[in-house]
Amino acid sequence: MMTVTAAQCPKAGRVSIIGAGNVGSTLGQRLVEKNLADVVLLDIQSGRPKGLALDLMEARGVERHDRTIIGTDDYGDTQNSDLIVIAAGIARKPGMSRDDLLKINAEIVAKVAKQAIAQSPDALLLVVTNPLDVMTYLAWQASGLPPQRVMGMAGVLDAARFGTFIAMELNVSIMDVNAMVLGGHGDLMVPLPRYSTVSGIPITDLMDTGTIARLIERTRNGGAEIVSLMQAGSAYFAPASSACSMVESILYGRARILPAAVYLNGEYDLKDIFIGVPACLDREGVSRVLELDLLDDEYQALHASATSVRQSIETAQTLIG
Ligand code: APR
């Protein structure tokens, strides 16, 4: 009987995921089981990524895909990656201030970005660690990469949450819903009802303002709602799906327009900041930033969010010296 081995299949992109926690390992699973990329899972805990990778390799016996996944604590194993995803960090623990968390994750993200890019200088960088927009900025600085090759995942997740609540509220298929959320990944994010549609129809034509305000509030609290239900840990299925869609658009040059934390150099009157706006993602990374026509209150809300992101960047830079 003729069998096709992985070696005979078309070459896949190579994605290294730094941080094999819930988000990193679920992203690894999505990438290999969708047959999208070969994956390296790297974590500071050496056994965890190795065990997870072996478990996922054994699942191939059932899932029948051609991709490989390895686990490691050695950056040498990530060499020549096409894309590095940073999902390393720690979650806030009782007694820890926001600044304590900011400092710890800032140090981790800057360090791992440098180490990973040293092994794969031609790679693109996708940041997932929170606080997202701040970590993306710090990873970019530490990596020394051109800003177009660095981006953060949050807008896809926030839009997925908004879209889910829209579909649930209207009792329509999620297939026809496209939501848009701008701004930082936090309380000041800017869901845009005028640019959120069901089969091309803006939701402002389908729902009253009170209902839209309720869905926006639930979207803003999307992460916190899950944390309070789970008690320990935070969301990872939807974050992993969101990162996976960005990886796919990049590796396969699909040029999807997705909301992402990207570097702005004057767009939306903002400079030297990573923040969520719609962008075209392809093989080069961020090939285009799309500037939406904003109403005054939308523009003000985006700028308020940017001010808060900028303050956190400055705090993080002071804390890590
Ligand atoms: N190098 C490599 N891995 C590290 C390092 C480091 N210096 N420091 C921590 N890690 C690893 C941890 O060992 C852990 O396995 O990062 C992983 C984080 O995993 P989880 O605690 O399970 O967190 P997770 O839910 O995956 O979230 C990761 O993504 O969505 C964001 O807010 C979330 O910032 C968080 C990140």
Side-chain angles (χ1 to χ4, degrees):
M1 194 176 78
M2 283 272 290
T3 51
V4 178
T5 66
Q8 292 168 305
C9 287
K11 189 180 173 300
R14 181 169 160 86
V15 176
S16 288
I17 303 171
I18 316 300
N22 284 333
V23 174
S25 58
T26 307
L27 172 61
Q29 178 187 10
R30 297 239 196 281
L31 289 173
V32 293
E33 291 185 354
K34 287 183 167 206
N35 223 5
L36 291 174
D38 292 327
V39 171
V40 181
L41 272 182
L42 183 144
D43 202 280
I44 201 165
Q45 311 172 48
S46 69
R48 179 179 167 82
K50 288 180 185 150
L52 289 168
L54 179 58
D55 195 11
L56 283 164
M57 282 299 279
E58 290 168 359
R60 285 206 320 178
V62 183
E63 300 295 336
R64 307 279 178 188
H65 59 79
D66 306 305
R67 306 284 70 104
T68 59
I69 181 162
I70 62 164
T72 186
D73 60 354
D74 177 357
Y75 279 88
D77 292 330
T78 68
Q79 226 172 34
N80 296 326
S81 298
D82 297 292
L83 185 67
I84 310 281
V85 181
I86 299 183
I90 62 155
R92 194 160 154 198
K93 302 195 173 81
M96 193 184 269
S97 73
R98 268 180 199 277
D99 277 0
D100 292 339
L101 180 71
L102 188 63
K103 180 172 190 289
I104 294 170
N105 279 354
E107 281 168 346
I108 292 174
V109 164
K111 194 166 107 194
V112 305
K114 218 177 255 174
Q115 286 175 288
I117 290 299
Q119 299 291 337
S120 306
D122 296 326
L124 301 170
L125 195 55
L126 172 61
V127 180
V128 180
T129 306
N130 277 315
L132 191 273
D133 310 82
V134 182
M135 295 302 140
T136 308
Y137 189 94
L138 298 177
W140 163 62
Q141 279 198 319
S143 71
L145 292 176
Q148 294 73 19
R149 281 175 41 203
V150 180
M151 67 221 88
M153 185 293 292
V156 175
L157 172 62
D158 296 329
R161 286 178 172 152
F162 193 28
T164 298
F165 302 143
I166 292 167
M168 283 159 62
E169 184 70 28
L170 293 172
N171 200 17
V172 297
S173 168
I174 190 71
M175 299 290 284
D176 297 323
V177 179
N178 270 303
M180 177 55 69
V181 179
L182 304 185
H185 183 52
D187 301 343
L188 296 179
M189 73 176 69
V190 189
L192 287 183
R194 289 190 312 126
Y195 287 103
S196 298
T197 62
V198 181
S199 266
I201 308 161
I203 61 163
T204 44
D205 290 351
L206 299 169
M207 285 184 243
D208 60 48
T209 49
T211 305
I212 292 173
R214 178 164 50 76
L215 303 190
I216 286 178
E217 201 45 32
R218 191 168 180 196
T219 302
R220 289 204 173 109
N221 291 327
E225 183 179 3
I226 290 174
V227 167
S228 72
L229 288 167
M230 287 172 70
Q231 310 265 314
S234 51
Y236 57 95
F237 289 121
S241 293
S242 305
C244 185
S245 69
M246 293 174 76
V247 173
E248 180 176 3
S249 184
I250 293 163
L251 282 187
Y252 290 82
R254 296 229 199 280
R256 291 193 63 192
I257 306 292
L258 296 171
V262 301
Y263 189 80
L264 297 186
N265 188 22
E267 297 89 349
Y268 295 92
D269 299 327
L270 293 168
K271 260 184 183 254
D272 192 32
I273 191 167
F274 279 84
I275 196 160
V277 296
C280 184
L281 304 186
D282 66 17
R283 289 287 310 185
E284 291 110 62
V286 181
S287 60
R288 204 159 18 125
V289 173
L290 282 89
E291 255 185 294
L292 301 177
D293 207 5
L294 298 183
L295 299 175
D296 194 45
D297 60 329
E298 296 162 343
Y299 177 93
Q300 298 301 341
L302 177 62
H303 277 250
S305 178
T307 301
S308 154
V309 169
R310 212 183 283 290
Q311 281 165 354
S312 298
I313 291 172
E314 281 162 15
T315 306
Q317 284 172 328
T318 311
L319 289 170
I320 62 175

